[in-house]
Amino acid sequence: MSDYQPSYTVALIGNPNCGKTSLFNQLTGARQRTGNMAGVTVTSREGHKEWGGVEFHFIDLPGIYSLANSRVEEMVARDYLIDSPPDLILNVVDANNLARNLALTSQLLEQGLPVVIALNMLDELEKQGGSIDIAELSLGLAKPVMGSDGRSNSHISVLMDLLLENVEQPEEPLVITYEPHIESAICALEAVDLTRWQAVRWLESGGSVALTNDKQVAVGQQIREMLASRHDESLAEMIAEGRYGYIHGLLHKSSSEHQDQSAADHWLDRLTLNRWLGVPIFLFLLWLMFEATFTLGSYPADWIDSGVSWVGQQVGALMPPSLLKNLIVEGLIAGVGGVLVFLPNVVLLFFFIALLEQSGYMARAVFLTDNLMSKVGLHGKAFVPLVMGFGCNVPAIMSARTIEEPRARLITILINPFMSCSARLPVYVLLAGIFFADHAGSVLFGLYMLGILVAFTVAALLARTISSQHDETFIMELPPWRFPSGRSMLLHVWDKASDFLRKIGGVILVGSVLIWLLQSFPMQGTPWLEQLGHFVAPLFAPMGFGWQETVALLSGFIAKEVIAASLVVVYQTDMNDMTGLQAALGSALAPASGLALMVFTLLYMPCLATIAAIRRETGSWRWAGVSILMGLVLAWTGSWLVYTVASLWI
């Protein structure tokens, strides 16, 4: 009787965070080891399990999104599948991100590799009210599909039986029908001895995969010229469009999320993602957001202003004349109240941003801007940190960790401070309401667009001076259009409003007291704050700023909200309401100076918390210093140009 025991190798492959390694642990238990892949430092894990008289050797490959990229993990997985093809591939798929995960699955199937699909995290999908018809999905892929859960071993025996059944099954490559010009290119490459998968792989790489002979090179050059003359998209984008078209057609039959898409959803996608209309629609929605932020926010802001004024008057009437009374009324109440009145504007801004995110529109905006961002050295993933910068630059900079390519991550971090955080909004609303009351919403929109323009310009310049290490493919699944949940919207807005209120009770309160002390002492002679203002004022005189605006900008080094509080304190010695401040500013500054002050606030150095975040994320004070110097130079130059030009017109 023979002691021979057949042995098969099974490679686990899937996207990052799909539950692949947890499933590997369930399959192999303690019978596993960790080591580096041959020739590289990328780690893989190996283990084995006996089942049905067969020895299964499992390889846990690194998590990847694609087989077509130049990142180390992708190259390691691709080379392993080509040089040491396993007997079977266990493709682990996250049921909650099915379209994105199936992009890798389709590449495996196009290559003609033997695949069994484990549909992971089904329980999470069902909790959210979604469902997947596994039988229909298996039929569409022509591959066995079963549900799995890396947190439980209850399904392991069924999965092992499935692997055993399919380990020696014959395989036919998946054929995805691409648009006619791509199909013609594939046929031309097949005519010079490339397989269909090799042809698709060459096109998807943008022609960077080496061809083996002069005839193939000549045909490849003709294909590049032909497609470039007929299409604006890159070869990789055209292949991705065809592949996602196949995936969405498949999911329309098997996924409840895709089945629920109505004709209105498809119409919205065609409209918002249109090559010509998409960007104008995006800009219009941003303008509408800022117009509504100012217009609608002005009514509750007036109510808060009246309340703050009433509180100041009551406290002033109850307390006898003293230094403490001046501190409370002119320092605490005036400074904190001067920022509190802008709470409605901040709340509305976050409400509209949450509306765009939760409706599914923000993801479409990412796709719209990806091509433009790649032209200035950024990555599609940078869009999310940049949009987060409209709220606060600190978490936005931290979120740049999702960008794995070092140059793109560094550039995203350095330009993020040019995204107007909510701390700057009180300054904009205050000054725009004084000098441009009839067009305040448009002025807000213009400032935010200027910040984006400066950020992209700086990114393009940095991309020319910082060398890249590797390309990173941007893959993002478009979520379905949804009516945002009222509860979710309220929680989001409350969270952001709470952050703003905590700042008012913390840094703004302390800053207001500090500014008041510097403004009030010494009791005899010129106050320290005014002395400091007059000392630094010559630097800002070309923009028409007085010493009051100068010290307000200096206080903004701590936090940008303190600028508004500082203006309230330095201008409101005998006034207890915002109307008085507006009158004082309106008489002290020309409209051109008011606009220049907004531009300076937009561009100059980040607040202390943001500087600390840049230092932490880049690991160097050098880049934090670059951010400070870059902001100061751009702020002075930009505000001077704005003042000079605006003086000719307003």
Side-chain angles (χ1 to χ4, degrees):
M1 185 174 180
S2 174
D3 292 331
Y4 169 75
Q5 184 182 36
S7 176
Y8 298 103
T9 300
V10 179
L12 279 76
I13 192 168
N15 288 186
N17 304 313
C18 68
K20 172 175 58 66
T21 299
S22 297
L23 184 58
F24 171 82
N25 293 336
Q26 292 289 347
L27 287 167
T28 59
R31 306 174 70 182
Q32 55 186 249
R33 64 184 177 87
T34 301
N36 288 341
M37 304 292 288
V40 294
T41 58
V42 175
T43 300
S44 72
R45 304 174 73 193
E46 301 180 19
H48 61 276
K49 185 181 185 69
E50 296 179 8
W51 191 264
V54 172
E55 176 78 12
F56 283 95
H57 181 64
F58 291 98
I59 304 289
D60 183 18
L61 294 174
I64 61 174
Y65 290 109
S66 171
L67 294 171
N69 303 322
S70 56
R71 286 182 54 207
V72 174
E73 292 85 354
E74 270 92 348
M75 291 189 291
V76 165
R78 185 171 65 243
D79 293 345
Y80 175 82
L81 296 177
I82 294 173
D83 299 335
S84 308
D87 298 293
L88 189 62
I89 292 173
L90 179 56
N91 178 208
V92 184
V93 172
D94 180 1
N96 298 280
N97 297 285
L98 204 49
R100 186 189 70 198
N101 281 242
L102 288 179
L104 174 61
T105 305
S106 65
Q107 290 178 319
L108 297 171
L109 299 183
E110 282 186 287
Q111 198 169 346
L113 297 170
V115 176
V116 168
I117 298 165
L119 197 57
N120 217 11
M121 304 183 188
L122 272 172
D123 57 331
E124 294 183 10
L125 179 68
E126 291 169 353
K127 286 179 183 177
Q128 298 171 6
S131 65
I132 294 174
D133 188 333
I134 294 179
E136 187 67 42
L137 182 61
S138 178
L139 181 65
L141 291 169
K143 297 294 173 187
V145 180
M146 70 161 285
S148 66
D149 184 354
R151 295 165 296 187
S152 169
N153 60 7
S154 60
H155 62 284
I156 292 298
S157 59
V158 179
L159 179 57
M160 290 302 304
D161 286 339
L162 190 64
L163 296 177
L164 190 61
E165 292 171 9
N166 289 273
V167 76
E168 291 183 341
Q169 294 296 320
E171 296 296 326
E172 287 293 329
L174 170 68
V175 176
I176 294 176
T177 302
Y178 296 95
E179 67 95 36
H181 292 141
I182 291 291
E183 285 295 327
S184 297
I186 292 173
C187 291
L189 291 168
E190 287 179 315
V192 289
D193 300 325
L194 268 68
T195 65
R196 182 178 177 89
W197 165 248
Q198 289 172 330
V200 171
R201 170 80 184 91
W202 182 83
L203 291 166
E204 191 168 26
S205 71
S208 62
V209 172
L211 299 175
T212 57
N213 57 56
D214 293 341
K215 191 173 182 180
Q216 291 176 352
V217 171
V219 170
Q221 182 61 33
Q222 292 174 2
I223 288 171
R224 273 198 294 259
E225 292 174 357
M226 181 269 291
L227 291 175
S229 66
R230 299 181 181 183
H231 296 274
D232 293 332
E233 302 99 329
S234 66
L235 297 178
E237 288 172 333
M238 295 170 71
I239 291 292
E241 287 176 3
R243 186 169 287 139
Y244 272 99
Y246 161 77
I247 291 169
H248 284 291
L250 177 67
L251 294 182
H252 186 72
K253 297 180 180 179
S254 58
S255 169
S256 63
E257 188 169 275
H258 287 74
Q259 289 169 350
D260 291 340
Q261 285 192 333
S262 64
D265 294 336
H266 293 295
W267 179 83
L268 282 172
D269 275 342
R270 287 196 300 269
L271 182 65
T272 57
L273 297 176
N274 184 275
R275 184 183 306 175
W276 307 110
L277 296 177
V279 172
I281 290 172
F282 177 56
L283 294 176
F284 171 75
L285 289 175
L286 288 181
W287 172 85
L288 187 62
M289 178 174 72
F290 294 120
E291 181 70 26
T293 295
F294 181 84
T295 305
L296 299 180
S298 64
Y299 299 105
D302 289 341
W303 304 335
I304 295 175
D305 181 27
S306 299
V308 169
S309 177
W310 182 84
V311 170
Q313 291 170 0
Q314 296 304 310
V315 172
L318 291 174
M319 296 183 68
S322 65
L323 199 60
L324 179 61
K325 172 186 174 181
N326 294 340
L327 170 62
I328 294 175
V329 175
E330 298 172 4
L332 291 178
I333 296 177
V336 172
V339 179
L340 183 63
V341 296
F342 300 109
L343 176 63
N345 304 100
V346 173
V347 167
L348 282 169
L349 178 63
F350 283 121
F351 172 81
F352 289 121
I353 291 177
L355 186 64
L356 295 178
E357 289 176 346
Q358 297 187 25
S359 66
Y361 178 76
M362 197 65 81
R364 274 91 182 158
V366 173
F367 278 95
L368 282 173
T369 56
D370 179 49
N371 189 43
L372 171 62
M373 295 174 75
S374 65
K375 287 181 170 58
V376 296
L378 290 172
H379 187 274
K381 288 182 179 179
F383 185 85
V384 175
L386 294 181
V387 170
M388 287 180 65
F390 288 150
C392 180
N393 296 135
V394 175
I397 287 171
M398 294 174 64
S399 72
R401 296 172 184 173
T402 59
I403 306 172
E404 297 181 16
E405 202 281 304
R407 182 185 72 167
R409 182 172 63 250
L410 177 60
I411 292 175
T412 303
I413 289 171
L414 291 178
I415 68 171
N416 202 282
F418 298 122
M419 299 294 106
S420 280
C421 63
S422 60
R424 297 176 173 100
L425 186 60
V427 183
Y428 299 160
V429 173
L430 172 65
L431 297 175
I434 294 172
F435 298 106
F436 310 99
D438 294 336
H439 307 285
S442 298
V443 170
L444 290 182
F445 171 75
L447 286 167
Y448 278 80
M449 290 301 101
L450 177 61
I452 294 171
L453 177 62
V454 170
F456 279 22
T457 302
V458 171
L461 294 174
L462 291 173
R464 294 177 178 272
T465 57
I466 305 173
S467 59
S468 63
Q469 297 186 19
H470 61 77
D471 293 328
E472 182 181 357
T473 293
F474 172 58
I475 300 177
M476 181 177 181
E477 182 180 4
L478 285 180
W481 290 96
R482 292 188 178 97
F483 284 105
S485 161
R487 181 176 181 274
S488 176
M489 292 283 291
L490 287 174
L491 288 174
H492 176 86
V493 172
W494 171 248
D495 181 57
K496 300 302 181 181
S498 299
D499 287 341
F500 185 75
L501 290 172
R502 280 193 291 270
K503 281 189 175 183
I504 289 178
V507 65
I508 296 173
L509 186 147
V510 173
S512 298
V513 171
L514 179 61
I515 294 296
W516 179 85
L517 288 172
L518 292 174
Q519 172 73 350
S520 302
F521 291 94
M523 302 292 289
Q524 303 295 326
T526 306
W528 292 324
L529 190 66
E530 188 172 345
Q531 293 179 39
L532 176 63
H534 285 301
F535 178 76
V536 183
L539 289 174
F540 299 91
M543 286 78 80
F545 300 164
W547 71 266
Q548 296 92 337
E549 291 73 39
T550 300
V551 296
L553 290 173
L554 293 176
S555 70
F557 290 153
I558 303 170
K560 295 298 183 284
E561 299 98 333
V562 182
I563 297 175
S566 299
L567 289 171
V568 171
V569 173
V570 296
Y571 271 114
Q572 277 194 270
T573 49
D574 296 319
M575 293 167 282
N576 292 314
D577 64 320
M578 293 299 293
T579 304
L581 173 63
Q582 292 168 356
L585 273 169
S587 61
L589 293 179
S593 295
L595 187 60
L597 183 57
M598 286 187 273
V599 171
F600 201 100
T601 302
L602 163 69
L603 298 177
Y604 84 120
M605 64 169 282
C607 66
L608 292 179
T610 302
I611 293 171
I614 294 173
R615 160 65 181 84
R616 184 171 57 251
E617 295 302 312
T618 62
S620 170
W621 280 111
R622 177 169 68 97
W623 290 116
V626 167
S627 178
I628 294 171
L629 182 61
M630 187 167 55
L632 289 173
V633 171
L634 287 172
W636 196 97
T637 305
S639 61
W640 177 78
L641 286 173
V642 167
Y643 173 76
T644 302
V645 174
S647 296
L648 302 175
W649 297 94
I650 56 178

